[in-house]
Amino acid sequence: MDYSFFMEQALEQARKAFNQGQFPVGCVIVQDDQVIASGARTGTSGDLSFFSEIDHAEIRALKALESSDVRFIPERAVLFCTMEPCLMCFAATILAGIRTLVFAYEDVMGGGTGLDRQHLTPLYRDAQITIVPHVLRKKSLDLFHNFFNKETNLYWKDSLLASYTLDQWRQSGL
């Protein structure tokens, strides 16, 4: 499977969110080399309500599986996301039975894939999931840099993620 090709599809979802003033995370779910679901947070610019905080790209993509014409076979599916999934989205991916998760850019503030699952209950501890980080990382980093560098953006403006992203972008240009 061409991880870069499908990460480009997730990046396209992230660009759509960015163009609507939203946090630029995109997600696609691929099965048998075909995108069967996608998601990004789109809608009202600057919506910081509780519901926007749980309306992540991965959750939207998983929910989109309900209306997919393709029969979802979790063990054959791969989830691609432009940012490392948070704990909620990582757990939802495990619960969906997806066994491969590919992401572009690490989330130093809220990423969930590095969680030590050994002390969790068997459902999460024993889940067989492969994590593939940093596929097209620079492209995702550029998009997050543009988001955090935008003067009108107030979302996570002074957060650890924002400062880390701006530092990473400066270092990548050296």
Side-chain angles (χ1 to χ4, degrees), residues 36-39 59-69:
I36 61 170
S38 62
I59 300 301
R60 283 185 166 224
L62 288 166
K63 289 178 106 178
L65 288 171
E66 293 176 335
S67 59
S68 175
D69 294 335

Side-chain angles (χ1 to χ4, degrees), residues 68-127:
S68 175
D69 294 335
V70 176
R71 185 173 149 256
F72 176 56
I73 304 168
E75 58 274 5
R76 293 194 346 221
V78 179
L79 185 141
F80 291 84
C81 195
T82 59
M83 175 172 265
E84 176 185 6
C86 70
L87 287 172
M88 173 185 71
C89 294
F90 184 50
T93 302
I94 288 172
L95 291 173
I98 295 173
R99 294 192 179 156
T100 304
L101 187 156
V102 181
F103 69 85
Y105 184 58
E106 65 276 9
D107 182 354
V108 298
M109 190 169 80
T113 65
L115 174 70
D116 179 4
R117 294 184 288 136
Q118 293 309 306
H119 301 289
L120 297 179
T121 58
L123 178 65
Y124 300 101
R125 180 188 65 228
D126 300 338

